[in-house]
């Protein structure tokens, strides 16, 4: 009866794609159900949440605050406007989630889009039942188990606010659309291609460009080969629909850049880089001159931590060790121990498969790109996540045909891999729950929760001491600083403190000392003389 039910589902196009996505979202929500929504713990997450809060309030950016120097922090800038440095794609999803009740809901929308898009992409190359296997691989490896580094939050694409699910969805749309266009030109495939390109442009612009060059080249060659009467219909069904999506899309990107940076061709990342950063983007570049950092913690982060990450590549030994670590990080997130065995056993057959060889090319391009940068967490490579899944699933298909002494053992081997993935997912959910419990007790999060229980508005003056950790930032604020219930500002000098107290004279004033003797700083009321 169950098999009959599954067969019926396999013949319902929309449900075939979205059912695996729904399962992935239900699994992703379990740590939150058992505890509560995850708190941001990485400085990148605060940047995305700032943009999300801005969009949720109906603005593209925010005006520079009168006392903006006291609110400066990592990955955000205040001139010519107040915004984070990141592309807007991920923040748009978080904004939807915030409107619905919490930004984590936006993360899970991204998870659903990723799983659905990758299943849709795989159906262009293989039977639906194997596309479902791909959806299970995505759920196990990217939604539940994957970590940002060789350590860190399990399932960080579903349990944090800086993951790569949306970029993975964009890449899958591009490759899935191209696969369909090469078989039969349709307007719907062209629109999917354009939407995928727009998603990549607004999530991972550089990696998205590199990953999409190969499939776009395939389409260009296909168009050139359309002779005579076939060329005009091809242009109408492929080029025209794509242009109708891409033209307004890139115009809106230019308008967003103009509102945030004052220049339609300057992305927020560049504006932030020119104000704060000194690390070379690529390893062969020389670092620019030091910036005019106003505070020691900003200098320590940008001129210290980021430059130390770059300096690891200075000699041959450091370059080799760092490269191995990057490749290991890619492997542990996108493949992991569970799916390594099928890939190893299927490597020879994959190499003989012309389609699989072509799918491996964009992955190789992204890996080379990763090795040329000083740092590259897994979401940088998200545009090719679907292609990695395609290689894994094709390896499982080869495995399903295994025989031993005339007995078919392949399907049992595939089931064993899937069950192992299930066990790993259960372990990942368990660790994600523990991580949620731990990070919810972070000192800043706890302090803010306590302040929200008091009536009125609050200003917290933050002092960073000699033992302050570069990644332990406390000065993160809402998009509309003045209307926020709790503000976090720098207690940088008596003059700056006096200006803040005068500006926020109707607020309860608190102080917190971070990086001094107390390992767990707490906000205490300011005693004014």
């Amino acid at each position: 009866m169950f098999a009959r039910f599954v067969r019926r589902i396999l013949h319902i196009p929309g449900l075939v794609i979205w059912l695996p996505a729904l399962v992935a979202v239900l699994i992703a929500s379990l740590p939150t159900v058992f505890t509560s929504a995850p708190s941001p713990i990485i400085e990148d997450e605060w940047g995305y949440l700032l943009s999300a809060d801005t969009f949720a309030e109906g603005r593209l950016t925010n005006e520079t605050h009168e006392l903006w120097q006291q609110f400066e922090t990592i990955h955000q800038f205040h001139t010519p406007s107040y915004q984070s440095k990141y592309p807007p794609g991920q923040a748009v999803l978080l904004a939807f989630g915030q409107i619905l009740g919490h930004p984590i809901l936006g993360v899970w929308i991204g998870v659903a889009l990723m799983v659905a898009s990758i299943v849709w992409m795989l159906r262009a190359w293989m039977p639906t039942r194997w596309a479902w296997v791909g959806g299970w691989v995505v759920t196990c490896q990217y939604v539940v188990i994957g970590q940002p580094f060789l350590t860190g939050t399990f399932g960080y694409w579903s349990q944090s606010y800086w993951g790569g699910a949306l970029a993975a969805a964009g890449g899958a749309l591009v490759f899935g659309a191209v696969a369909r266009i090469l078989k039969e030109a349709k307007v719907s495939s062209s629109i999917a291609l354009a939407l995928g390109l727009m998603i990549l442009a607004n999530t991972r612009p550089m990696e998205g460009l590199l990953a999409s060059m190969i499939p776009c080249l395939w389409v260009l060659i296909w168009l050139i080969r359309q002779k005579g009467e076939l060329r005009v219909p091809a242009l109408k069904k492929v080029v025209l629909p794509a242009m109708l999506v891409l033209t307004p899309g890139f115009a809106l990107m230019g308008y967003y850049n103009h509102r945030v940076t004052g220049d339609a061709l300057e992305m927020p990342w560049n504006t932030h880089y020119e104000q704060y950063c000194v690390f070379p983007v690529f390893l062969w570049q020389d670092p620019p001159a030091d910036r005019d950092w106003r505070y020691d913690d900003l200098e320590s982060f940008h001129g210290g931590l980021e430059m130390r990450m770059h300096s690891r590549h200075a000699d041959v030994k450091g370059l080799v060790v760092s490269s191995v670590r990057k490749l290991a990080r890619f492997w542990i997130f996108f493949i992991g121990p569970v799916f390594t065995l099928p890939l190893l056993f299927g490597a020879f057959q994959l190499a003989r498969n012309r389609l699989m060889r072509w799918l491996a090319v964009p992955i190789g391009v992204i890996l080379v790109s990763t090795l040329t940068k000083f740092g590259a967490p897994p979401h940088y490579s998200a545009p090719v996540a679907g292609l990695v899944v395609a290689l894994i699933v094709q390896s499982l298909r080869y495995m399903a045909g295994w025989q031993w002494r005339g007995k078919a053992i392949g399907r049992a081997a595939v089931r064993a891999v899937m069950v192992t993935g299930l066990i790993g997912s259960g372990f990942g959910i368990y660790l994600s729950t523990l991580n949620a419990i731990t990070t919810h007790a972070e000192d800043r999060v706890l302090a803010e929760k306590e302040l929200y229980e008091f009536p009125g508005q609050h200003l917290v003056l933050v002092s960073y001491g000699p033992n302050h950790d570069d990644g332990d930032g406390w000065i993160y604020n809402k998009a509309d600083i003045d209307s926020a219930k709790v503000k976090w500002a720098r207690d940088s000098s008596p003059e700056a403190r006096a200006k803040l107290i005068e500006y926020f004279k109707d607020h309860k004033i608190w102080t917190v000392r971070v990086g001094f003797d107390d390992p767990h700083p707490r906000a205490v009321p300011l005693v004014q003389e």
Side-chain angles (χ1 to χ4, degrees):
M1 183 177 294
F2 178 75
R4 188 185 307 167
F5 172 72
V6 171
R7 282 195 296 269
R8 289 181 178 178
I9 291 178
L10 293 178
H11 289 86
I12 305 175
L15 195 56
V16 162
I17 293 171
W18 290 106
L19 187 58
L22 176 61
V23 171
V25 170
L26 291 176
I27 293 174
S29 67
L30 290 177
T32 295
V33 171
F34 292 142
T35 55
S36 60
S39 302
I41 57 175
I42 302 294
E43 55 271 6
D44 305 58
E45 296 181 81
W46 290 104
Y48 285 113
L49 289 170
L50 168 62
S51 296
D53 191 39
T54 303
F55 301 154
E57 293 190 1
R59 298 187 301 275
L60 294 179
T61 191
N62 308 283
E63 293 185 2
T64 301
H65 195 277
E66 181 179 331
L67 302 176
W68 65 270
Q69 292 94 340
Q70 306 309 121
F71 300 108
E72 280 187 288
T73 193
I74 306 298
H75 298 329
Q76 301 173 15
F77 56 89
H78 289 263
T79 59
S81 68
Y82 169 40
Q83 185 54 286
S84 84
K85 71 176 188 178
Y86 295 107
Q90 174 77 359
V92 170
L93 285 186
L94 299 180
F96 276 122
Q98 181 170 321
I99 292 170
L100 293 174
H102 196 282
I104 194 62
L105 298 176
V107 174
W108 297 340
I109 292 173
V111 166
L113 292 174
M114 172 180 65
V115 175
S117 299
I118 291 179
V119 170
W120 177 81
M121 178 198 74
L122 292 174
R123 292 184 72 217
W125 297 314
M126 57 190 65
T128 298
R129 64 181 183 276
W130 286 105
W132 269 23
V133 171
W136 180 240
V137 171
V138 174
T139 301
C140 291
Q141 190 62 36
Y142 305 163
V143 177
V144 178
I145 300 175
Q147 297 173 275
F149 309 106
L150 299 181
T151 58
T153 304
F154 276 82
Y156 90 100
W157 281 14
S158 67
Q159 305 302 321
S160 71
Y161 305 98
W162 65 314
L166 184 58
L173 285 176
V174 169
F175 289 102
V178 170
R180 286 166 171 80
I181 289 172
L182 297 181
K183 292 179 181 179
E184 182 183 0
K186 289 185 178 180
V187 172
S188 58
S189 299
S190 176
I191 292 175
L193 171 61
L195 289 175
L197 291 173
M198 290 308 307
I199 290 174
L200 292 177
N202 286 279
T203 51
R204 301 301 319 168
M206 187 182 78
E207 294 84 2
L209 174 64
L210 293 174
S212 59
M213 286 171 57
I214 301 297
C216 288
L217 179 62
W218 295 342
V219 173
L220 178 60
I221 294 173
W222 175 83
L223 285 171
I224 293 174
R225 289 178 176 176
Q226 303 304 302
K227 303 296 183 181
E229 297 179 353
L230 296 177
R231 179 165 296 177
V232 173
L235 293 174
K236 288 182 178 180
K237 292 181 179 181
V238 176
V239 177
L240 181 59
M243 294 305 297
L244 291 177
V245 174
L246 293 174
T247 301
F250 282 112
L252 289 173
M253 288 178 60
Y255 180 68
Y256 176 76
N257 292 340
H258 171 71
R259 290 294 306 275
V260 175
T261 70
D263 185 344
L265 299 180
E266 181 174 330
M267 300 176 68
W269 190 94
N270 299 88
T271 298
H272 176 270
Y273 184 90
E274 292 297 326
Q275 294 183 20
Y276 294 100
C277 300
V278 293
F279 66 86
V281 177
F282 297 102
L283 297 180
W284 59 79
Q285 294 177 313
D286 295 323
D290 286 352
R291 309 302 185 187
D292 185 20
W293 295 295
R294 268 171 284 274
Y295 304 107
D296 291 342
D297 61 292
L298 295 180
E299 181 176 1
S300 177
F301 185 88
H302 294 294
L305 175 64
E306 290 184 335
M307 286 304 299
R308 286 195 299 273
M309 294 174 66
H310 178 266
S311 299
R312 295 171 186 169
H313 305 78
D315 54 30
V316 174
K317 179 182 177 180
L319 180 62
V320 171
V321 171
S322 297
S323 298
V324 170
R325 285 177 177 172
K326 292 173 187 175
L327 294 175
R329 186 182 301 170
F330 184 94
W331 166 75
I332 198 68
F333 183 88
F334 287 101
I335 302 172
V338 174
F339 301 110
T340 296
L341 187 63
L343 274 179
L344 289 177
F345 278 108
F348 180 72
Q349 289 172 290
L350 288 174
R352 296 177 62 185
N353 187 313
R354 184 170 180 267
L355 173 62
M356 294 299 118
R357 291 200 304 270
W358 274 112
L359 297 187
V361 172
I363 299 175
V365 171
I366 291 299
L367 281 175
V368 171
S369 168
T370 297
L371 296 177
T372 64
K373 293 174 288 190
F374 80 88
H379 59 275
Y380 283 26
S381 303
V384 296
L387 300 185
V388 178
V389 175
L391 295 181
I392 293 173
V393 175
Q394 187 62 33
S395 297
L396 291 171
R397 294 180 70 187
Y398 294 142
M399 180 182 285
W402 284 1
Q403 291 188 351
W404 175 258
R405 294 182 177 179
K407 294 182 179 180
I409 63 170
R411 292 192 176 186
V414 171
R415 293 191 187 103
V417 171
M418 303 309 290
V419 170
T420 305
L422 177 63
I423 295 171
S425 296
F427 182 65
I429 292 170
Y430 172 70
L431 292 179
S432 294
T433 302
L434 291 182
N435 181 74
I437 295 172
T438 302
T439 56
H440 291 171
E442 288 283 325
D443 298 319
R444 185 196 180 281
V445 173
L446 180 61
E448 187 165 76
K449 287 182 177 179
E450 291 177 347
L451 292 175
Y452 266 87
E453 295 177 358
F454 292 101
Q457 292 180 290
H458 306 271
L459 171 66
V460 186
L461 302 174
V462 181
S463 300
Y464 289 135
N467 300 321
H468 172 238
D469 189 301
D470 290 327
D472 185 23
W474 283 58
I475 304 171
Y476 297 107
N477 288 285
K478 294 288 189 179
D480 187 351
I481 296 177
D482 285 349
S483 67
K485 182 176 178 65
V486 179
K487 290 94 169 164
W488 302 85
R490 294 180 178 275
D491 193 8
S492 57
S493 69
E495 295 79 10
R497 173 187 283 195
K499 290 181 179 179
L500 285 165
I501 293 175
E502 174 61 25
Y503 187 91
F504 296 106
K505 55 189 174 183
D506 58 340
H507 286 49
K508 174 72 173 179
I509 311 298
W510 305 74
T511 62
V512 64
R513 291 165 54 84
V514 182
F516 290 89
D517 294 332
D518 189 352
H520 299 289
R522 302 287 294 275
V524 298
L526 174 66
V527 178
Q528 301 190 48
E529 299 178 357

mmCIF file of all heavy atoms in Angstrom, residues 365-390:
data_model
loop_
_atom_site.group_PDB
_atom_site.id
_atom_site.type_symbol
_atom_site.label_atom_id
_atom_site.label_comp_id
_atom_site.label_asym_id
_atom_site.label_seq_id
_atom_site.Cartn_x
_atom_site.Cartn_y
_atom_site.Cartn_z
ATOM 1 N N VAL A 365 35.928 24.656 -10.901
ATOM 2 C CA VAL A 365 36.144 26.107 -10.989
ATOM 3 C C VAL A 365 35.966 26.761 -9.616
ATOM 4 O O VAL A 365 36.762 27.610 -9.198
ATOM 5 C CB VAL A 365 35.178 26.731 -12.021
ATOM 6 C CG1 VAL A 365 35.231 28.261 -11.953
ATOM 7 C CG2 VAL A 365 35.517 26.242 -13.421
ATOM 8 N N ILE A 366 34.914 26.354 -8.900
ATOM 9 C CA ILE A 366 34.659 26.923 -7.576
ATOM 10 C C ILE A 366 35.755 26.519 -6.590
ATOM 11 O O ILE A 366 36.184 27.333 -5.750
ATOM 12 C CB ILE A 366 33.271 26.477 -7.067
ATOM 13 C CG1 ILE A 366 32.168 27.143 -7.896
ATOM 14 C CG2 ILE A 366 33.099 26.823 -5.587
ATOM 15 C CD1 ILE A 366 32.151 28.651 -7.833
ATOM 16 N N LEU A 367 36.230 25.285 -6.682
ATOM 17 C CA LEU A 367 37.305 24.854 -5.789
ATOM 18 C C LEU A 367 38.582 25.654 -6.039
ATOM 19 O O LEU A 367 39.266 26.060 -5.088
ATOM 20 C CB LEU A 367 37.576 23.360 -5.978
ATOM 21 C CG LEU A 367 36.593 22.402 -5.295
ATOM 22 C CD1 LEU A 367 36.903 20.964 -5.672
ATOM 23 C CD2 LEU A 367 36.647 22.572 -3.785
ATOM 24 N N VAL A 368 38.908 25.891 -7.295
ATOM 25 C CA VAL A 368 40.081 26.720 -7.609
ATOM 26 C C VAL A 368 39.888 28.122 -7.051
ATOM 27 O O VAL A 368 40.808 28.714 -6.462
ATOM 28 C CB VAL A 368 40.318 26.756 -9.133
ATOM 29 C CG1 VAL A 368 41.386 27.786 -9.480
ATOM 30 C CG2 VAL A 368 40.725 25.383 -9.647
ATOM 31 N N SER A 369 38.678 28.667 -7.213
ATOM 32 C CA SER A 369 38.378 29.992 -6.658
ATOM 33 C C SER A 369 38.562 30.000 -5.144
ATOM 34 O O SER A 369 39.103 30.955 -4.573
ATOM 35 C CB SER A 369 36.948 30.388 -7.018
ATOM 36 O OG SER A 369 36.523 31.513 -6.281
ATOM 37 N N THR A 370 38.121 28.936 -4.490
ATOM 38 C CA THR A 370 38.262 28.837 -3.032
ATOM 39 C C THR A 370 39.717 28.866 -2.613
ATOM 40 O O THR A 370 40.085 29.506 -1.622
ATOM 41 C CB THR A 370 37.604 27.532 -2.536
ATOM 42 O OG1 THR A 370 36.204 27.576 -2.815
ATOM 43 C CG2 THR A 370 37.812 27.341 -1.043
ATOM 44 N N LEU A 371 40.560 28.200 -3.372
ATOM 45 C CA LEU A 371 41.980 28.133 -3.013
ATOM 46 C C LEU A 371 42.701 29.454 -3.232
ATOM 47 O O LEU A 371 43.791 29.659 -2.683
ATOM 48 C CB LEU A 371 42.665 27.029 -3.828
ATOM 49 C CG LEU A 371 42.184 25.598 -3.559
ATOM 50 C CD1 LEU A 371 42.898 24.619 -4.478
ATOM 51 C CD2 LEU A 371 42.407 25.214 -2.098
ATOM 52 N N THR A 372 42.124 30.349 -4.006
ATOM 53 C CA THR A 372 42.779 31.632 -4.279
ATOM 54 C C THR A 372 42.399 32.717 -3.279
ATOM 55 O O THR A 372 42.940 33.819 -3.344
ATOM 56 C CB THR A 372 42.429 32.130 -5.688
ATOM 57 O OG1 THR A 372 41.019 32.386 -5.775
ATOM 58 C CG2 THR A 372 42.844 31.120 -6.741
ATOM 59 N N LYS A 373 41.481 32.402 -2.341
ATOM 60 C CA LYS A 373 41.053 33.384 -1.342
ATOM 61 C C LYS A 373 41.529 32.963 0.036
ATOM 62 O O LYS A 373 41.741 31.780 0.299
ATOM 63 C CB LYS A 373 39.531 33.526 -1.362
ATOM 64 C CG LYS A 373 39.002 34.154 -2.646
ATOM 65 C CD LYS A 373 37.486 34.139 -2.703
ATOM 66 C CE LYS A 373 36.947 32.761 -2.928
ATOM 67 N NZ LYS A 373 35.504 32.736 -3.221
ATOM 68 N N PHE A 374 41.658 33.942 0.937
ATOM 69 C CA PHE A 374 42.229 33.606 2.239
ATOM 70 C C PHE A 374 41.246 32.856 3.123
ATOM 71 O O PHE A 374 41.626 32.158 4.056
ATOM 72 C CB PHE A 374 42.727 34.877 2.954
ATOM 73 C CG PHE A 374 41.646 35.694 3.631
ATOM 74 C CD1 PHE A 374 41.267 35.427 4.928
ATOM 75 C CD2 PHE A 374 41.026 36.739 2.965
ATOM 76 C CE1 PHE A 374 40.284 36.182 5.555
ATOM 77 C CE2 PHE A 374 40.052 37.492 3.581
ATOM 78 C CZ PHE A 374 39.683 37.209 4.887
ATOM 79 N N GLY A 375 39.967 32.982 2.869
ATOM 80 C CA GLY A 375 38.962 32.283 3.658
ATOM 81 C C GLY A 375 37.757 31.970 2.796
ATOM 82 O O GLY A 375 37.386 32.766 1.935
ATOM 83 N N ALA A 376 37.151 30.807 3.021
ATOM 84 C CA ALA A 376 36.012 30.427 2.195
ATOM 85 C C ALA A 376 35.160 29.398 2.923
ATOM 86 O O ALA A 376 35.318 28.194 2.721
ATOM 87 C CB ALA A 376 36.477 29.883 0.848
ATOM 88 N N PRO A 377 34.241 29.837 3.810
ATOM 89 C CA PRO A 377 33.317 28.883 4.428
ATOM 90 C C PRO A 377 32.413 28.254 3.376
ATOM 91 O O PRO A 377 32.307 28.757 2.251
ATOM 92 C CB PRO A 377 32.523 29.753 5.419
ATOM 93 C CG PRO A 377 32.713 31.156 4.955
ATOM 94 C CD PRO A 377 34.049 31.208 4.288
ATOM 95 N N PRO A 378 31.740 27.151 3.701
ATOM 96 C CA PRO A 378 31.014 26.383 2.684
ATOM 97 C C PRO A 378 29.970 27.164 1.895
ATOM 98 O O PRO A 378 29.748 26.855 0.714
ATOM 99 C CB PRO A 378 30.360 25.267 3.503
ATOM 100 C CG PRO A 378 31.271 25.065 4.656
ATOM 101 C CD PRO A 378 31.778 26.438 4.993
ATOM 102 N N HIS A 379 29.322 28.162 2.495
ATOM 103 C CA HIS A 379 28.284 28.850 1.733
ATOM 104 C C HIS A 379 28.861 29.664 0.574
ATOM 105 O O HIS A 379 28.121 30.049 -0.324
ATOM 106 C CB HIS A 379 27.408 29.732 2.639
ATOM 107 C CG HIS A 379 28.147 30.804 3.386
ATOM 108 N ND1 HIS A 379 28.768 30.586 4.578
ATOM 109 C CD2 HIS A 379 28.338 32.116 3.107
ATOM 110 C CE1 HIS A 379 29.321 31.707 5.012
ATOM 111 N NE2 HIS A 379 29.084 32.654 4.132
ATOM 112 N N TYR A 380 30.175 29.891 0.561
ATOM 113 C CA TYR A 380 30.790 30.515 -0.604
ATOM 114 C C TYR A 380 30.649 29.614 -1.839
ATOM 115 O O TYR A 380 30.563 30.099 -2.963
ATOM 116 C CB TYR A 380 32.278 30.776 -0.355
ATOM 117 C CG TYR A 380 32.599 31.962 0.528
ATOM 118 C CD1 TYR A 380 31.684 32.419 1.482
ATOM 119 C CD2 TYR A 380 33.817 32.619 0.444
ATOM 120 C CE1 TYR A 380 31.980 33.485 2.305
ATOM 121 C CE2 TYR A 380 34.127 33.688 1.269
ATOM 122 C CZ TYR A 380 33.202 34.115 2.196
ATOM 123 O OH TYR A 380 33.500 35.171 3.007
ATOM 124 N N SER A 381 30.665 28.302 -1.610
ATOM 125 C CA SER A 381 30.582 27.333 -2.710
ATOM 126 C C SER A 381 29.159 26.855 -2.959
ATOM 127 O O SER A 381 28.955 25.924 -3.749
ATOM 128 C CB SER A 381 31.480 26.122 -2.408
ATOM 129 O OG SER A 381 32.813 26.520 -2.191
ATOM 130 N N ALA A 382 28.186 27.469 -2.326
ATOM 131 C CA ALA A 382 26.796 27.013 -2.420
ATOM 132 C C ALA A 382 26.260 26.922 -3.847
ATOM 133 O O ALA A 382 25.423 26.056 -4.121
ATOM 134 C CB ALA A 382 25.896 27.918 -1.578
ATOM 135 N N PRO A 383 26.678 27.789 -4.794
ATOM 136 C CA PRO A 383 26.120 27.677 -6.145
ATOM 137 C C PRO A 383 26.290 26.310 -6.798
ATOM 138 O O PRO A 383 25.511 25.965 -7.692
ATOM 139 C CB PRO A 383 26.866 28.767 -6.924
ATOM 140 C CG PRO A 383 27.176 29.806 -5.899
ATOM 141 C CD PRO A 383 27.499 29.012 -4.666
ATOM 142 N N VAL A 384 27.277 25.521 -6.386
ATOM 143 C CA VAL A 384 27.471 24.199 -7.006
ATOM 144 C C VAL A 384 27.031 23.075 -6.087
ATOM 145 O O VAL A 384 27.330 21.904 -6.347
ATOM 146 C CB VAL A 384 28.941 23.988 -7.431
ATOM 147 C CG1 VAL A 384 29.337 24.974 -8.505
ATOM 148 C CG2 VAL A 384 29.882 24.070 -6.221
ATOM 149 N N ALA A 385 26.299 23.388 -5.016
ATOM 150 C CA ALA A 385 25.860 22.343 -4.085
ATOM 151 C C ALA A 385 25.041 21.280 -4.802
ATOM 152 O O ALA A 385 25.215 20.076 -4.565
ATOM 153 C CB ALA A 385 25.044 22.972 -2.949
ATOM 154 N N GLY A 386 24.143 21.694 -5.685
ATOM 155 C CA GLY A 386 23.311 20.741 -6.405
ATOM 156 C C GLY A 386 24.118 19.801 -7.289
ATOM 157 O O GLY A 386 23.760 18.628 -7.457
ATOM 158 N N LEU A 387 25.212 20.294 -7.850
ATOM 159 C CA LEU A 387 26.050 19.453 -8.707
ATOM 160 C C LEU A 387 26.767 18.385 -7.891
ATOM 161 O O LEU A 387 26.939 17.249 -8.361
ATOM 162 C CB LEU A 387 27.062 20.307 -9.466
ATOM 163 C CG LEU A 387 26.484 21.371 -10.399
ATOM 164 C CD1 LEU A 387 27.604 22.045 -11.177
ATOM 165 C CD2 LEU A 387 25.455 20.778 -11.343
ATOM 166 N N VAL A 388 27.200 18.751 -6.684
ATOM 167 C CA VAL A 388 27.813 17.744 -5.813
ATOM 168 C C VAL A 388 26.801 16.650 -5.499
ATOM 169 O O VAL A 388 27.122 15.457 -5.517
ATOM 170 C CB VAL A 388 28.339 18.396 -4.517
ATOM 171 C CG1 VAL A 388 28.931 17.334 -3.598
ATOM 172 C CG2 VAL A 388 29.380 19.465 -4.831
ATOM 173 N N VAL A 389 25.565 17.053 -5.231
ATOM 174 C CA VAL A 389 24.503 16.073 -4.965
ATOM 175 C C VAL A 389 24.285 15.178 -6.179
ATOM 176 O O VAL A 389 24.091 13.959 -6.051
ATOM 177 C CB VAL A 389 23.199 16.783 -4.569
ATOM 178 C CG1 VAL A 389 22.047 15.789 -4.421
ATOM 179 C CG2 VAL A 389 23.383 17.554 -3.268
ATOM 180 N N ALA A 390 24.328 15.764 -7.371
ATOM 181 C CA ALA A 390 24.144 14.966 -8.594
ATOM 182 C C ALA A 390 25.215 13.889 -8.708
ATOM 183 O O ALA A 390 24.920 12.739 -9.075
ATOM 184 C CB ALA A 390 24.167 15.883 -9.819
#
